[in-house]
Amino acid sequence: MASRFQAPKGTFDILAGGTRTRERIEHVARGLFDRAGYARIETPIFEDTELFERGVGGSTDIVRKEMFTFEDLGGRSVTLRPEGTAPIARAYLDHGMHKLPQPVKLWYMGPYFRHERPQAGRFRQFNQIGAEALGSESPLVDAELIMLLDELLRELEVPGVALRLGSLGSPDAQASYREELKAYLREHEDELAKDVRGRIDENPLRAFDSKDEGTRAVMAKAPTMLERLDGEDAEHFAAVRRLLDQAGIAYELDGTLVRGLDYYTRTVFSFECDRLGAQSEIGGGGRYDRLMEELDGPPVPAAGWAAGVERILLALGDEHEIQPHDVFVAAEDGQRERALALVTELRHAGLRAELDLADRVLKGQMRQADRLGAAHAVILDTDGRAQLRDMRSGEQREIDLAQVVEELAGR
Ligand code: HAM
C-alpha cells in the first residue's frame, strides 16, 4: 500500500512503539526540573523572522541558510523557530519577567526546524529539551545548568558522554580578541577555506568550526579567547570550574569551542556522545549576557542549554520496547460480549487487558495474545466456563469467572 506521498525530506513519523522512550525522556526531565525549581514554558512554533536574525545573529549558518521563512497572509515575514532561546528571551521581555524573583528558571520541550542537509542525527524537524535561567550572572547558574544536563543524561543512561567546556569572555573582551583573531586569519588568508575567508570580518570565531584541513591546521595554532581571559571573566570561569570540580563533574577544557549561535558570552559547553558519529553533540549551551539588549531590552544576564531528543534516542539505541500486556481475553463464538465486560473489569483493576477485535477464530486469538506478549490469557468457552492459561509455561486450568479479576490483580 505504498502511497504517492512521503514525509517531507528530513522529517519522520513517530509510529506506535516509538513514543515510549520519548515519553520516558519527558518524564525524567519533568521530575528533574521540578525538583530544581524550573517551570515549563512553551512559546509559539513560529515567530517574527527578525527575532532570529537579531537574536541568533545574521552571520550564523542558521540565519544565513537554514531557516524556514515565509510570508504570512498579512505580508509579515515569519520563521519556524530554529531554536528556543531567542523566543524565550522575547517572552521574558514581553511578560515583564524582570519583576519576578531572579533568576527566572524555565524548561521546554518541543519541535524545532532547520533546513539542513539530512543525515544520521540531523533532521529538518527535530525535538529539543532545554533549560534557561534568566536574570543572574552568578557562576552558580552556569554550574547548576551544566549539572542538570549531566544528571538528565545520567538518569536516562545515555552511554559514552563527555563534556567540553570553554569561555568566550564578556562582550568587551570578546571585541578585542576578535580583532586579534581577524589579524591572525588575514595573515594566513591563503591557507583558509573560501567560506572562512569570506567571513573573517563578520564572524571570525566560526573558523574554529571549519572541517577544512588547511583551515584546521591554521586554527590549531590560533590564539584562543580562553588564553586571553582576564579580570572578572577569568574569575567567573574559575568559579564555574571550581563548582563543577566540587560536584565531581569531569570536563575537558576547549578553547576552540565556539558553538553555532552568535549570542554566547563567557561560559560555553557541549556534551558529546561517542555513539553518534559525525553529529556527535547531544546537547550544549552557555551564557548569553547580551541577548536581551540585542532584542532592545535592558541588560539581563542569562544562561541555558538545549539537547536533541532524537540524538538521545539514537545514543540509547532507539529501542522500540513494547510494553507486554498482562491479560488477553479470548472468546469462543457467542462469548464476545462477556469478553468486553471482563476486559473492562480487568482494566478497572489496573491491568493491561485486551480482547480480540477482528473476529479471529480461537487459534488466531491465541496467536494474537502471544504477539502482544500477554502474560495470561483467559479463554471464555461456549458453555460459559473459563480457562486461565499461563502464556509462558502453557499451563492451563479451569477458573471460576467470578475470581478471575481478583486472581490476576493479586499477582
Ligand atoms: P544548538 O547547539 O543549536 O543550541 O542545538 C542544541 C541541540 O539540538 C544540539 O546539541 C543537538 O543535539 C540538537 N540539534 C540541533 N540541530 C539539530 C538537527 N538538525 N537535528 C537534530 N538535532 C539537532 C541551541 O539551539 C541553543 N538554543 C541552546 C541554548 C539554550 N543555548 C543557551 N540556551
Side-chain angles (χ1 to χ4, degrees), residues 117-353:
R117 199 143 46 79
Q119 63 177 82
R122 194 162 72 191
F123 305 98
R124 290 187 174 171
Q125 176 175 343
F126 56 98
N127 290 276
Q128 280 188 351
I129 202 161
E132 315 286 349
L134 312 115
S136 166
E137 63 176 355
S138 169
L140 284 164
V141 170
D142 309 49
E144 176 177 271
L145 282 163
I146 292 171
M147 286 164 67
L148 280 170
L149 181 48
D150 177 76
E151 183 77 30
L152 177 68
L153 299 175
R154 241 175 246 282
E155 248 189 80
L156 291 170
E157 296 177 19
V158 178
V161 176
L163 169 62
R164 292 198 293 146
L165 181 72
S167 174
L168 299 173
S170 56
D172 288 347
Q174 230 180 69
S176 59
Y177 165 70
R178 270 167 190 267
E179 290 312 312
E180 183 186 354
L181 184 61
K182 279 187 213 169
Y184 175 84
L185 291 173
R186 272 199 211 95
E187 262 171 54
H188 296 272
E189 211 163 330
D190 41 357
E191 298 155 63
L192 299 175
K194 199 163 147 255
D195 67 314
V196 176
R197 237 180 291 148
R199 268 199 260 187
I200 293 182
D201 279 321
E202 213 182 357
N203 199 341
L205 288 174
R206 289 311 303 278
F208 284 111
D209 278 348
S210 177
K211 303 260 185 288
D212 170 69
E213 291 259 329
T215 308
R216 289 175 79 97
V218 173
M219 298 320 287
K221 298 200 189 89
T224 67
M225 185 61 220
L226 205 51
E227 297 157 352
R228 299 288 179 272
L229 280 190
D230 63 5
E232 288 184 8
D233 287 342
E235 274 170 41
H236 193 276
F237 192 53
V240 173
R241 293 184 57 186
R242 262 199 313 279
L243 292 163
L244 293 179
D245 292 340
Q246 187 188 304
I249 292 189
Y251 54 82
E252 193 189 313
L253 278 186
D254 187 348
T256 70
L257 184 61
V258 291
R259 300 189 47 72
L261 304 103
D262 271 358
Y263 46 61
Y264 292 115
T265 54
R266 292 191 164 172
T267 316
V268 281
F269 56 91
S270 170
F271 282 82
E272 323 254 307
C273 173
D274 64 14
R275 315 289 149 104
L276 288 181
Q279 301 304 314
S280 63
E281 191 189 87
I282 204 154
R287 185 160 272 292
Y288 48 95
D289 290 343
R290 80 182 150 190
L291 175 58
M292 298 283 184
E293 289 159 278
E294 296 289 342
L295 303 179
D296 296 335
V300 179
W305 53 258
V309 173
E310 286 71 25
R311 298 213 181 149
I312 295 177
L313 289 170
L314 279 173
L316 288 175
D318 194 15
E319 74 299 20
H320 287 193
E321 351 94 274
I322 46 164
Q323 171 128 338
H325 276 66
D326 297 317
V327 197
F328 188 89
V329 177
E332 299 223 54
D333 284 342
Q335 302 296 318
R336 292 183 193 261
E337 286 172 22
R338 284 175 62 216
L340 183 59
L342 181 57
V343 294
T344 306
E345 267 188 75
L346 288 163
R347 289 171 186 171
H348 284 162
L351 292 164
R352 304 189 75 236

